[in-house]
Amino acid sequence: MNYSWRIILLFTANILPLASTQANGSVALLENSQVGQQPMLLIVQAAGGDTYKWAIKPKEQPAAAKPETPQKTTYFQRARSYATTPESDPPRYVRNMAKTEYPIFKDLHWLDFGVDHRTRFELRDDDIRRNNLLTDYPFLLRTRAYVGIKNILDPFRMAVEFQDSRGYNSEFPRDNRDWNPYELIQTYGELYFKDALGKDDLGNNRPIRIRGGRMAWEAVDRRLLGNNQWRNTTNNFEGFRVTFGQEANDWEIDTWGVQPVIRDIDDFDGRNKSQWFYGAIGHWRKWSDVITIQPYFMGLKQDDREGRQPERDIYSPAIRAYGVLPRTNIDFDLHTIYQFGRDNGLKKSAWSYLLEFGYTFKHDWKPRLSAFYGFVSGDRDPNDNVDNRFERFFGFARPWSPDDYIVMENIKAPKIVFEFSPHKDVSIDGGYSWFWLASDTDRFNNLLNISTPNPFNRDATGQSGDFIGQSINARVNYKLTPLVDTTIGYSHFMNGEFTKNRQMAALGESRDSSNFFYVEVSIRAFK
């Protein structure tokens, strides 16, 4: 009964014809009431003791103000494809000190700083990369620290990044995949002209950045240029890099000419003076709500160093396009690459194409299901004076397989991946992959090939077959605290006919499968 008078009032106000009466005095707006899904009723009371009430009919109600769409501030759109996002510059663990959780640093807007440590335990059972089929239990430790100075000395900027990489408890000798202590992986100076090319249509500065020194960075989808965040050691280079525009702009061009740094596990690293790696990447983001286009070119020139390494001139034009189909939840990532030139006296003719389509379901967990197919050419005929083996330059292998077995060379690889996030601090992904040799007469790069190269990873006759194997894997990432990330992963690899036949030829024994399990903990200095 407490609401009876309100029901009667609303009923009366909606069905009785009412006359509008002008009354002296001020008009006060009473509380709004709402019944079911009807528009709110405005109750007006006139002064003077007599009360007149009326309702505004729904069709006469003023239109509700629509929430403002957030103003677009950047053209950049991240690719949704699996494991293809390049590491940021500066790296993810780095923070601008003025933006950290500590008020004492609020004036240090000119200082970027970060410290990060990662420990990973691995269990590798019958690792097909090794010449011995056994179970290994390595512990991998990596510590990084970064200091960057900007703004205060503009246009001059600089950065230094230190890394210490070590591996323990392994059954195998040390190698530069896991071991590279006390190294400076970045030491560069930079001239940064923040608005040298004006502004884009969103008002973002279009800068020019000229960088020289020792550098580590990733580009495109990381498959040809990556610093290998997964591996315990890092790809880096010495030389120059010039960038026109920035990530937020509608277009950007990144160019470089560098010499790779040779990772020396006993002495301080130095550059390979007989090798140059160069290239240019364009980014067209004007239509990035639908598609981002990345045409690019990479090249590798290698001298023979008095007969100690082959002479090579490899040129690699390519184009990548990714985005989301309009008015759908379907994303795509399409990539094609061609290579030509000369490689150790042979004509180079190699190619690759990569296709990925994904669908993100409308659910709070943001589940995404994707299908990928990658083709990377191998040498068709070892006797035709043409080398069809694709050159992967300095790429990141992990997008191909989580156990690090597969690299971007002589491979056909369909894959299905499922990703979701049941909590803001938890992400889970897993997949199923199949692997064939693109050419059954060329090598499987990583088979029997870690630490000590083994010629048995190739059967020039093609009689060992072409099926490498299949893999099922899963991974869970959990942010334990704002400063601590944990990851648990597992991969089961089922050996195919080629893998087992070549193991038998090289070792006199083979395995049906291998297992890889790991637990990883990363600790940062700042949120």
mmCIF file of all heavy atoms in Angstrom, residues 171-193:
data_model
loop_
_atom_site.group_PDB
_atom_site.id
_atom_site.type_symbol
_atom_site.label_atom_id
_atom_site.label_comp_id
_atom_site.label_asym_id
_atom_site.label_seq_id
_atom_site.Cartn_x
_atom_site.Cartn_y
_atom_site.Cartn_z
ATOM 1 N N GLU A 171 72.096 -30.567 -19.055
ATOM 2 C CA GLU A 171 72.947 -31.691 -19.424
ATOM 3 C C GLU A 171 73.840 -31.359 -20.618
ATOM 4 O O GLU A 171 74.720 -32.151 -20.974
ATOM 5 C CB GLU A 171 72.077 -32.902 -19.783
ATOM 6 C CG GLU A 171 71.228 -33.440 -18.641
ATOM 7 C CD GLU A 171 72.061 -34.150 -17.592
ATOM 8 O OE1 GLU A 171 73.183 -34.597 -17.916
ATOM 9 O OE2 GLU A 171 71.595 -34.257 -16.443
ATOM 10 N N PHE A 172 73.628 -30.185 -21.226
ATOM 11 C CA PHE A 172 74.332 -29.852 -22.458
ATOM 12 C C PHE A 172 75.287 -28.682 -22.240
ATOM 13 O O PHE A 172 75.114 -27.887 -21.311
ATOM 14 C CB PHE A 172 73.320 -29.515 -23.556
ATOM 15 C CG PHE A 172 72.395 -30.653 -23.872
ATOM 16 C CD1 PHE A 172 71.129 -30.709 -23.304
ATOM 17 C CD2 PHE A 172 72.799 -31.680 -24.716
ATOM 18 C CE1 PHE A 172 70.274 -31.766 -23.589
ATOM 19 C CE2 PHE A 172 71.960 -32.731 -25.009
ATOM 20 C CZ PHE A 172 70.688 -32.788 -24.438
ATOM 21 N N PRO A 173 76.299 -28.534 -23.087
ATOM 22 C CA PRO A 173 77.251 -27.428 -22.944
ATOM 23 C C PRO A 173 76.570 -26.068 -23.099
ATOM 24 O O PRO A 173 75.511 -25.934 -23.708
ATOM 25 C CB PRO A 173 78.249 -27.679 -24.093
ATOM 26 C CG PRO A 173 78.075 -29.102 -24.475
ATOM 27 C CD PRO A 173 76.648 -29.435 -24.216
ATOM 28 N N ARG A 174 77.197 -25.046 -22.563
ATOM 29 C CA ARG A 174 76.687 -23.679 -22.688
ATOM 30 C C ARG A 174 76.667 -23.253 -24.155
ATOM 31 O O ARG A 174 77.554 -23.602 -24.930
ATOM 32 C CB ARG A 174 77.570 -22.710 -21.916
ATOM 33 C CG ARG A 174 77.560 -22.901 -20.411
ATOM 34 C CD ARG A 174 78.567 -21.969 -19.758
ATOM 35 N NE ARG A 174 78.581 -22.110 -18.307
ATOM 36 C CZ ARG A 174 79.426 -21.478 -17.501
ATOM 37 N NH1 ARG A 174 80.351 -20.678 -18.029
ATOM 38 N NH2 ARG A 174 79.359 -21.658 -16.201
ATOM 39 N N ASP A 175 75.645 -22.494 -24.530
ATOM 40 C CA ASP A 175 75.616 -21.897 -25.855
ATOM 41 C C ASP A 175 75.013 -20.500 -25.742
ATOM 42 O O ASP A 175 74.472 -20.126 -24.700
ATOM 43 C CB ASP A 175 74.831 -22.763 -26.848
ATOM 44 C CG ASP A 175 73.380 -22.966 -26.444
ATOM 45 O OD1 ASP A 175 72.686 -21.966 -26.169
ATOM 46 O OD2 ASP A 175 72.911 -24.121 -26.409
ATOM 47 N N ASN A 176 75.133 -19.725 -26.830
ATOM 48 C CA ASN A 176 74.718 -18.325 -26.755
ATOM 49 C C ASN A 176 73.214 -18.123 -26.919
ATOM 50 O O ASN A 176 72.761 -16.993 -27.041
ATOM 51 C CB ASN A 176 75.490 -17.465 -27.753
ATOM 52 C CG ASN A 176 75.197 -17.832 -29.204
ATOM 53 O OD1 ASN A 176 74.319 -18.639 -29.509
ATOM 54 N ND2 ASN A 176 75.968 -17.233 -30.104
ATOM 55 N N ARG A 177 72.453 -19.184 -26.903
ATOM 56 C CA ARG A 177 71.002 -19.046 -26.799
ATOM 57 C C ARG A 177 70.580 -18.770 -25.355
ATOM 58 O O ARG A 177 69.585 -18.095 -25.105
ATOM 59 C CB ARG A 177 70.306 -20.325 -27.289
ATOM 60 C CG ARG A 177 70.556 -20.663 -28.743
ATOM 61 C CD ARG A 177 70.052 -22.066 -29.062
ATOM 62 N NE ARG A 177 68.639 -22.192 -28.727
ATOM 63 C CZ ARG A 177 67.655 -21.869 -29.552
ATOM 64 N NH1 ARG A 177 67.927 -21.396 -30.753
ATOM 65 N NH2 ARG A 177 66.397 -22.020 -29.191
ATOM 66 N N ASP A 178 71.362 -19.319 -24.422
ATOM 67 C CA ASP A 178 71.011 -19.201 -23.001
ATOM 68 C C ASP A 178 72.018 -18.388 -22.198
ATOM 69 O O ASP A 178 71.673 -17.876 -21.126
ATOM 70 C CB ASP A 178 70.908 -20.599 -22.370
ATOM 71 C CG ASP A 178 69.847 -21.456 -23.014
ATOM 72 O OD1 ASP A 178 68.880 -20.895 -23.551
ATOM 73 O OD2 ASP A 178 70.000 -22.703 -22.993
ATOM 74 N N TRP A 179 73.249 -18.275 -22.707
ATOM 75 C CA TRP A 179 74.330 -17.741 -21.879
ATOM 76 C C TRP A 179 74.975 -16.530 -22.558
ATOM 77 O O TRP A 179 75.512 -16.622 -23.649
ATOM 78 C CB TRP A 179 75.380 -18.833 -21.660
ATOM 79 C CG TRP A 179 76.402 -18.497 -20.621
ATOM 80 C CD1 TRP A 179 77.571 -17.845 -20.805
ATOM 81 C CD2 TRP A 179 76.333 -18.814 -19.227
ATOM 82 N NE1 TRP A 179 78.252 -17.718 -19.618
ATOM 83 C CE2 TRP A 179 77.504 -18.305 -18.627
ATOM 84 C CE3 TRP A 179 75.397 -19.471 -18.433
ATOM 85 C CZ2 TRP A 179 77.771 -18.444 -17.259
ATOM 86 C CZ3 TRP A 179 75.661 -19.602 -17.071
ATOM 87 C CH2 TRP A 179 76.830 -19.104 -16.502
ATOM 88 N N ASN A 180 74.918 -15.379 -21.894
ATOM 89 C CA ASN A 180 75.589 -14.158 -22.370
ATOM 90 C C ASN A 180 75.644 -13.159 -21.217
ATOM 91 O O ASN A 180 74.874 -12.200 -21.159
ATOM 92 C CB ASN A 180 74.824 -13.563 -23.561
ATOM 93 C CG ASN A 180 75.678 -12.579 -24.346
ATOM 94 O OD1 ASN A 180 76.900 -12.628 -24.313
ATOM 95 N ND2 ASN A 180 75.037 -11.670 -25.060
ATOM 96 N N PRO A 181 76.573 -13.354 -20.280
ATOM 97 C CA PRO A 181 76.583 -12.533 -19.064
ATOM 98 C C PRO A 181 77.154 -11.137 -19.291
ATOM 99 O O PRO A 181 77.989 -10.919 -20.168
ATOM 100 C CB PRO A 181 77.477 -13.339 -18.120
ATOM 101 C CG PRO A 181 78.386 -14.114 -19.020
ATOM 102 C CD PRO A 181 77.585 -14.424 -20.244
ATOM 103 N N TYR A 182 76.667 -10.194 -18.478
ATOM 104 C CA TYR A 182 77.207 -8.830 -18.396
ATOM 105 C C TYR A 182 77.350 -8.154 -19.753
ATOM 106 O O TYR A 182 78.439 -7.790 -20.185
ATOM 107 C CB TYR A 182 78.572 -8.843 -17.700
ATOM 108 C CG TYR A 182 78.565 -9.426 -16.314
ATOM 109 C CD1 TYR A 182 79.378 -10.507 -15.994
ATOM 110 C CD2 TYR A 182 77.738 -8.892 -15.328
ATOM 111 C CE1 TYR A 182 79.385 -11.049 -14.713
ATOM 112 C CE2 TYR A 182 77.736 -9.436 -14.049
ATOM 113 C CZ TYR A 182 78.555 -10.504 -13.743
ATOM 114 O OH TYR A 182 78.558 -11.040 -12.486
ATOM 115 N N GLU A 183 76.230 -7.955 -20.429
ATOM 116 C CA GLU A 183 76.287 -7.334 -21.752
ATOM 117 C C GLU A 183 75.440 -6.073 -21.823
ATOM 118 O O GLU A 183 74.399 -5.962 -21.165
ATOM 119 C CB GLU A 183 75.796 -8.312 -22.824
ATOM 120 C CG GLU A 183 76.780 -9.416 -23.140
ATOM 121 C CD GLU A 183 78.081 -8.903 -23.722
ATOM 122 O OE1 GLU A 183 78.112 -7.771 -24.263
ATOM 123 O OE2 GLU A 183 79.092 -9.631 -23.636
ATOM 124 N N LEU A 184 75.903 -5.120 -22.623
ATOM 125 C CA LEU A 184 75.111 -3.948 -22.969
ATOM 126 C C LEU A 184 74.414 -4.255 -24.295
ATOM 127 O O LEU A 184 75.049 -4.308 -25.341
ATOM 128 C CB LEU A 184 76.002 -2.712 -23.097
ATOM 129 C CG LEU A 184 76.641 -2.223 -21.797
ATOM 130 C CD1 LEU A 184 77.616 -1.087 -22.081
ATOM 131 C CD2 LEU A 184 75.576 -1.757 -20.808
ATOM 132 N N ILE A 185 73.116 -4.480 -24.236
ATOM 133 C CA ILE A 185 72.400 -4.826 -25.459
ATOM 134 C C ILE A 185 71.896 -3.578 -26.183
ATOM 135 O O ILE A 185 71.561 -3.644 -27.367
ATOM 136 C CB ILE A 185 71.241 -5.805 -25.188
ATOM 137 C CG1 ILE A 185 70.236 -5.223 -24.197
ATOM 138 C CG2 ILE A 185 71.785 -7.134 -24.684
ATOM 139 C CD1 ILE A 185 69.007 -6.086 -24.028
ATOM 140 N N GLN A 186 71.848 -2.435 -25.478
ATOM 141 C CA GLN A 186 71.523 -1.171 -26.137
ATOM 142 C C GLN A 186 72.373 -0.053 -25.525
ATOM 143 O O GLN A 186 72.430 0.102 -24.312
ATOM 144 C CB GLN A 186 70.043 -0.807 -25.988
ATOM 145 C CG GLN A 186 69.086 -1.765 -26.663
ATOM 146 C CD GLN A 186 67.750 -1.124 -26.973
ATOM 147 O OE1 GLN A 186 67.558 -0.473 -28.001
ATOM 148 N NE2 GLN A 186 66.803 -1.317 -26.060
ATOM 149 N N THR A 187 73.026 0.699 -26.384
ATOM 150 C CA THR A 187 73.735 1.921 -25.986
ATOM 151 C C THR A 187 73.698 2.842 -27.195
ATOM 152 O O THR A 187 74.530 2.716 -28.089
ATOM 153 C CB THR A 187 75.211 1.639 -25.602
ATOM 154 O OG1 THR A 187 75.826 0.882 -26.644
ATOM 155 C CG2 THR A 187 75.319 0.882 -24.308
ATOM 156 N N TYR A 188 72.743 3.726 -27.239
ATOM 157 C CA TYR A 188 72.588 4.568 -28.427
ATOM 158 C C TYR A 188 72.296 6.011 -28.054
ATOM 159 O O TYR A 188 71.800 6.326 -26.973
ATOM 160 C CB TYR A 188 71.477 4.026 -29.338
ATOM 161 C CG TYR A 188 70.088 4.038 -28.756
ATOM 162 C CD1 TYR A 188 69.330 5.211 -28.732
ATOM 163 C CD2 TYR A 188 69.515 2.878 -28.243
ATOM 164 C CE1 TYR A 188 68.042 5.220 -28.202
ATOM 165 C CE2 TYR A 188 68.238 2.882 -27.722
ATOM 166 C CZ TYR A 188 67.507 4.061 -27.699
ATOM 167 O OH TYR A 188 66.246 4.064 -27.171
ATOM 168 N N GLY A 189 72.655 6.882 -28.984
ATOM 169 C CA GLY A 189 72.257 8.278 -28.924
ATOM 170 C C GLY A 189 71.250 8.554 -30.024
ATOM 171 O O GLY A 189 71.229 7.859 -31.051
ATOM 172 N N GLU A 190 70.444 9.587 -29.829
ATOM 173 C CA GLU A 190 69.352 9.845 -30.761
ATOM 174 C C GLU A 190 69.115 11.351 -30.895
ATOM 175 O O GLU A 190 69.193 12.089 -29.912
ATOM 176 C CB GLU A 190 68.090 9.156 -30.241
ATOM 177 C CG GLU A 190 66.847 9.389 -31.062
ATOM 178 C CD GLU A 190 65.652 8.644 -30.482
ATOM 179 O OE1 GLU A 190 65.575 7.413 -30.701
ATOM 180 O OE2 GLU A 190 64.820 9.268 -29.797
ATOM 181 N N LEU A 191 68.837 11.772 -32.116
ATOM 182 C CA LEU A 191 68.354 13.127 -32.368
ATOM 183 C C LEU A 191 66.867 13.027 -32.678
ATOM 184 O O LEU A 191 66.473 12.336 -33.634
ATOM 185 C CB LEU A 191 69.103 13.769 -33.531
ATOM 186 C CG LEU A 191 70.585 14.039 -33.299
ATOM 187 C CD1 LEU A 191 71.229 14.611 -34.565
ATOM 188 C CD2 LEU A 191 70.796 14.994 -32.127
ATOM 189 N N TYR A 192 66.053 13.696 -31.859
ATOM 190 C CA TYR A 192 64.598 13.570 -31.963
ATOM 191 C C TYR A 192 63.995 14.946 -32.236
ATOM 192 O O TYR A 192 64.043 15.835 -31.385
ATOM 193 C CB TYR A 192 64.041 12.987 -30.665
ATOM 194 C CG TYR A 192 62.557 12.698 -30.704
ATOM 195 C CD1 TYR A 192 62.079 11.506 -31.223
ATOM 196 C CD2 TYR A 192 61.641 13.619 -30.216
ATOM 197 C CE1 TYR A 192 60.720 11.220 -31.261
ATOM 198 C CE2 TYR A 192 60.275 13.351 -30.247
ATOM 199 C CZ TYR A 192 59.819 12.150 -30.763
ATOM 200 O OH TYR A 192 58.478 11.886 -30.800
ATOM 201 N N PHE A 193 63.443 15.112 -33.434
ATOM 202 C CA PHE A 193 62.806 16.373 -33.825
ATOM 203 C C PHE A 193 61.300 16.127 -33.843
ATOM 204 O O PHE A 193 60.757 15.545 -34.796
ATOM 205 C CB PHE A 193 63.323 16.809 -35.195
ATOM 206 C CG PHE A 193 64.827 16.913 -35.253
ATOM 207 C CD1 PHE A 193 65.595 15.882 -35.774
ATOM 208 C CD2 PHE A 193 65.474 18.043 -34.759
ATOM 209 C CE1 PHE A 193 66.976 15.975 -35.822
ATOM 210 C CE2 PHE A 193 66.860 18.142 -34.807
ATOM 211 C CZ PHE A 193 67.605 17.105 -35.331
#
